[in-house]
Amino acid sequence: GILALSGHTHVLMIPHVMSSVGGSQDDFEFLSKLAATVDEPDRVKVLERGLGSPATKAIMQRCDLIVGARMHCFVGSVSAGVPALMVAYSNKGYGMAQYVYGDTEYLIDIADLAPENLKQSVSTMLDNRQSIADRLKSNNSTWQSEAMLAINALSRTHKGFLQDKRR
């Protein structure tokens, strides 16, 4: 598995969706159960609940690589310049990986999420970590500009809608 890549590899599991009722919409519960199954529990930890977005993103910025299926995790990671492997369970994962990387090289479809595939993808990304991080950081201003264009378009649309509604 991933821990075999290096005797120094540590895994921090970061829950993004949490629910007081638990179940399939509670990443913390799922990740805690997953962490309990590893052979070396001292090298695999689950981030505590309730830290909030700014603190979680600050922790993510200290990571070498993020592997995630949740869109907010992926976006938070790449916007911080941290390489992220997208585990896609829907088409939006493919679209986001294509937008961020220009291709789907750093994406694994959930149907193909076998240990060897994950290990190979993580190893490749770790080997290329600095060049990926540099590319992410250089694209950040473009993404911010594109986001502002979208916000402005939405604002114009909203204003037009309100004006039409008043007539």
Side-chain angles (χ1 to χ4, degrees), residues 5-157:
L5 290 173
S6 159
H8 304 291
T9 302
H10 286 80
V11 175
L12 176 63
M13 297 183 181
I14 304 173
H16 278 268
V17 176
M18 289 171 265
S19 169
S20 60
V21 295
S24 66
Q25 290 300 310
D26 190 342
D27 292 353
F28 185 82
E29 181 180 312
F30 172 78
L31 294 174
S32 295
K33 288 178 182 175
L34 183 61
T37 68
V38 300
D39 293 335
E40 298 181 60
D42 57 313
R43 292 173 58 195
V44 178
K45 302 294 180 201
V46 179
L47 192 63
E48 64 188 82
R49 290 181 184 265
L51 293 178
S53 296
T56 300
K57 191 168 182 178
I59 291 167
M60 290 170 67
Q61 288 175 312
R62 298 182 62 203
C63 294
D64 293 323
L65 172 70
I66 299 287
V67 177
R70 301 285 190 186
M71 187 62 66
H72 288 99
C73 177
F74 185 81
V75 170
S77 176
V78 298
S79 68
V82 179
L85 176 64
M86 169 59 80
V87 178
Y89 62 88
S90 71
N91 288 338
K92 68 182 177 180
Y94 280 86
M96 184 54 75
Q98 182 71 39
Y99 176 73
V100 168
Y101 294 120
D103 55 41
T104 57
E105 178 181 5
Y106 301 130
L107 175 141
I108 296 180
D109 191 286
I110 198 156
D112 300 323
L113 192 59
E116 280 307 308
N117 293 345
L118 181 61
K119 183 179 175 182
Q120 178 60 47
S121 293
V122 166
S123 180
T124 298
M125 290 188 81
L126 288 173
D127 288 346
N128 297 297
R129 176 179 58 220
Q130 192 58 56
S131 65
I132 297 168
D134 291 344
R135 187 168 74 181
L136 293 173
K137 289 174 185 167
S138 71
N139 287 339
N140 216 335
S141 62
T142 301
W143 298 331
Q144 288 175 357
S145 296
E146 290 174 356
M148 287 308 300
L149 288 173
I151 289 168
N152 291 334
L154 181 60
S155 178
R156 287 189 306 275
T157 302

